[in-house]
Amino acid sequence: MPQGPKGRLFTGHTKDFQADPLAYFTHLANEYGDVAKFRFGPFQNAYLISNPDLIKEVLVTKQKFFIKSKAMHSLEDILGKGLFTSEKEFHMSQRKLIQPAFKKSHINSYGQNMIDITTDYLSTWKDGEERMITQDMMSITLGIICKTMFSMDLKQGYELLGKSVETVIRMAVKRMRTIFQLPLWIPTKNNRQYKKVIQELDQVINSMIEKRRENPNDHDDMLKILMDAKDDENRLGMTNRQVRDELMTTFLAGHETTANALSWTLYLLSQHPEVEKKLFDEIDTVIGSRPPTPDDFKNLTYTQNIIWESLRVYPPSFIVEREVEEDVMIGGYQFKKGEMVMVSQYVMHRKPEYFDNPDSFIPERFENNFLKTIPSYAYFPFGGGPRVCIGNHFALMEAVLVLVCIAQRYRIKLAPDHHEVVPFPTITLRPRRGLRMVVEERKSD
Ligand code: HEM
């Protein structure tokens, strides 16, 4: 029987988890080892698994014994049966239909959108001004996803979708982490507001789908790929409802995470001038003063390692959660139907067995095929197995190209009177109270 701390009778360990999930999970892994037992509320048994081989069993080899957790399923109110929330055969067949949108050749063409949107956005920055960088990164990645998915420009995207998306994410997170969720049909103030923003988003997305059904060849974007997709057997495409769910899913899964990765990276660079210098040197050598192109990506190897290391230190997805669907043995322990299993990138990425000086930011550690020297599930910023992030290559390319557009022109420093920067774990890991940073043009170097 896995060991764990003694919890309170009614709340179990909910309060410890909610107060500081990162500290609590680190404590559980340090004190109780590979499998630690704890409890949400009076009855919900949960386990934190912190051994790479066992994590692989949960995510890959024995994944069919698991489904997504209840908290993740509560996102169905907004995501419907999109890739993130659907299960089993339906998930597999949808994944097959959607995969072409993330093919390498498409991602390269999205690369140009990434550069154009970022360059356009940066044209409003003024030398020496202080900016809310966390907000800027959200706007840039929102712009990129609007452009790649619907061929919308940044301004249009923000006006039509930006505000509702921010509200919906905030409300979904709040709902997810409430233990006793009231069903959405009960007309509480929060529920009414939540339903209203979902409806607003639906209207925009549905009208785009309908317009596109009328003029299918209007644009060459992700929406077109999704609408053209047909399954192999029956040659059937997706219904409007299904296209809506997948768009909403990609839209929400695909911009906040990358925005957080970029914000953390800019923060880490501001604290490590030696890394920042090597970044500038690489950009100056590979690109110089001409505009970046998607093709530069492959030559920006140090920049790629900066992103890998930033995803290690501050993984935007810091927990992956599952519910046991059928009793299963893992690591010599029996897990029962209905129990919860959690694995944490934050905990694993900071284990000294796999990472020297785990709390330090050292992009060089990723050189010389470092990942081949550690077990595969010691480092897994994008999850793994059949549910591995479908946008992983997209995200890496986006993070590298946005960072390069910024660093080609600007050096970014934390505002002198900044509050202490600490991670704030919600669905994703973001800097608490945001990042205020001063942007200085590099030409004054
Ligand atoms: C740095 C950025 C990102 C990180 C760290 C990240 C992380 C993750 C993780 C850990 C999962 C697996 C969750 C689980 O197994 O429960 C996931 C799934 C997913 N991600 Fe990402 N993601 C990022 C960017 C993106 C982007 C850019 C897109 C789309 C454009 C995207 C779309 C998705 C989708 C649709 C899923 C569900 C896949 C499935 O279940 O089949 N993500 N992501």
Side-chain angles (χ1 to χ4, degrees):
M1 174 89 151
Q3 298 299 301
K6 198 167 153 26
R8 294 180 189 86
L9 189 60
F10 289 110
T11 51
H13 306 89
T14 311
K15 282 193 180 145
D16 306 294
F17 175 78
Q18 283 181 339
D20 188 345
L22 304 177
Y24 190 59
F25 274 8
T26 306
H27 159 78
L28 284 183
N30 288 343
E31 289 297 310
Y32 300 96
D34 290 351
V35 184
K37 184 171 183 192
F38 62 106
R39 189 158 46 79
F40 289 116
F43 307 117
Q44 178 65 67
N45 284 340
Y47 302 89
L48 175 69
I49 297 195
S50 309
N51 168 301
D53 298 334
L54 304 186
I55 292 176
K56 187 172 178 183
E57 292 192 33
V58 175
L59 297 181
V60 191
T61 41
K62 295 188 179 164
Q63 55 84 24
K64 68 173 197 302
F65 292 90
F66 297 93
I67 52 175
K68 289 230 164 171
S69 67
K70 289 192 181 70
M72 293 297 153
H73 275 295
S74 75
L75 294 174
E76 273 172 40
D77 294 331
I78 165 128
L79 304 179
K81 296 226 173 312
L83 212 51
F84 198 83
T85 35
S86 60
E87 300 283 356
K88 309 284 164 187
E89 287 77 24
F90 187 71
H91 169 260
M92 293 294 283
S93 63
Q94 280 301 116
R95 188 147 175 139
K96 240 173 116 184
L97 276 178
I98 295 161
Q99 200 79 56
F102 291 93
K103 265 204 324 226
K104 222 173 163 208
S105 53
H106 288 304
I107 292 181
N108 275 338
S109 78
Y110 303 148
Q112 193 57 51
N113 291 333
M114 294 168 184
I115 294 168
D116 293 345
I117 292 282
T118 313
T119 313
D120 187 23
Y121 191 85
L122 295 180
S123 66
T124 61
W125 284 16
K126 302 208 170 44
D127 190 16
E129 73 176 336
E130 185 182 301
R131 303 196 54 99
M132 197 64 175
I133 283 290
T134 29
Q135 191 57 50
D136 282 336
M137 295 307 112
M138 286 288 268
S139 303
I140 291 177
T141 57
L142 181 84
I144 290 173
I145 205 81
C146 285
K147 179 82 184 173
T148 43
M149 279 180 31
F150 317 117
S151 304
M152 264 188 198
D153 69 24
L154 189 81
K155 201 161 154 277
Q156 226 185 346
Y158 191 75
E159 275 162 15
L160 282 174
L161 292 160
K163 285 199 199 87
S164 323
V165 167
E166 275 167 28
T167 319
V168 99
I169 293 180
R170 202 167 18 85
M171 301 199 73
V173 171
K174 214 166 128 195
R175 227 177 117 71
M176 239 176 101
R177 293 293 175 214
T178 313
I179 296 200
F180 300 106
Q181 274 178 19
L182 290 175
L184 215 52
W185 54 264
I186 299 183
T188 61
K189 190 166 163 247
N190 275 343
N191 277 355
R192 272 183 288 141
Q193 204 187 344
Y194 191 41
K195 275 170 80 168
K196 189 163 162 271
V197 273
I198 296 177
Q199 269 164 11
E200 280 165 11
L201 276 175
D202 271 352
Q203 258 170 16
V204 179
I205 292 190
N206 287 334
S207 85
M208 268 182 302
I209 298 175
E210 271 157 31
K211 257 200 221 142
R212 203 59 80 80
R213 290 264 185 234
E214 285 161 22
N215 299 302
N217 295 319
D218 254 8
H219 296 283
D220 201 12
D221 51 16
M222 217 183 256
L223 178 55
K224 178 167 168 53
I225 302 174
L226 291 185
M227 292 183 69
D228 288 350
K230 303 259 184 316
D231 73 15
D232 293 341
E233 271 174 39
N234 307 317
R235 308 298 302 151
L236 288 177
M238 289 187 225
T239 60
N240 279 7
R241 172 70 208 191
Q242 199 53 38
V243 175
R244 176 260 176 227
D245 289 352
E246 297 303 355
L247 284 180
M248 196 74 103
T249 297
T250 316
F251 198 69
L252 292 188
H255 90 282
E256 202 200 315
T257 36
T258 321
N260 288 332
L262 277 160
S263 292
W264 283 119
T265 306
L266 292 174
Y267 165 67
L268 287 162
L269 286 168
S270 76
Q271 304 304 298
H272 294 85
E274 70 296 351
V275 178
E276 185 192 57
K277 177 165 186 327
K278 283 176 82 171
L279 168 68
F280 290 162
D281 287 348
E282 181 168 88
I283 294 174
D284 296 347
T285 313
V286 174
I287 307 176
S289 55
R290 67 166 168 78
T293 67
D295 225 27
D296 292 324
F297 173 82
K298 60 177 184 307
N299 299 320
L300 294 160
T301 47
Y302 189 71
T303 314
Q304 289 181 30
N305 288 342
I306 291 178
I307 300 297
W308 287 125
E309 176 69 344
S310 163
L311 292 172
R312 183 188 71 79
V313 181
Y314 293 116
S317 154
F318 63 101
I319 293 176
V320 175
E321 314 181 358
R322 295 287 186 264
E323 181 179 315
V324 180
E325 207 208 12
E326 210 183 304
D327 293 4
V328 59
M329 287 290 281
I330 288 183
Y333 299 118
Q334 167 107 37
F335 295 87
K336 292 228 156 49
K337 183 176 163 64
E339 293 185 321
M340 254 178 106
V341 169
M342 297 172 110
V343 301
S344 165
Q345 289 98 330
Y346 184 86
V347 168
M348 297 307 291
H349 291 185
R350 287 175 182 246
K351 284 205 164 215
E353 298 97 291
Y354 312 117
F355 305 97
D356 293 338
N357 299 319
D359 295 330
S360 305
F361 176 63
I362 312 174
E364 290 76 6
R365 73 169 86 239
F366 280 88
E367 287 167 5
N368 304 320
N369 283 326
F370 165 69
L371 285 180
K372 296 232 161 78
T373 67
I374 58 170
S376 39
Y377 286 84
Y379 179 76
F380 57 109
F382 293 107
R387 307 208 72 133
V388 68
C389 177
I390 199 166
N392 52 2
H393 300 301
F394 183 109
L396 183 66
M397 181 150 205
E398 180 180 17
V400 165
L401 293 178
V402 174
L403 177 60
V404 160
C405 290
I406 295 174
Q408 189 184 31
R409 283 185 56 192
Y410 296 98
R411 164 177 287 122
I412 304 204
K413 295 185 175 148
L414 208 55
D417 59 341
H418 206 279
H419 56 262
E420 192 193 348
V421 176
V422 284
F424 181 49
T426 56
I427 303 189
T428 56
L429 196 62
R430 52 163 81 182
R432 188 185 293 269
R433 291 167 54 211
L435 291 176
R436 280 185 297 112
M437 302 188 88
V438 178
V439 302
E440 279 173 14
E441 279 189 23
R442 274 180 64 204
K443 67 173 166 21
S444 48
D445 275 4

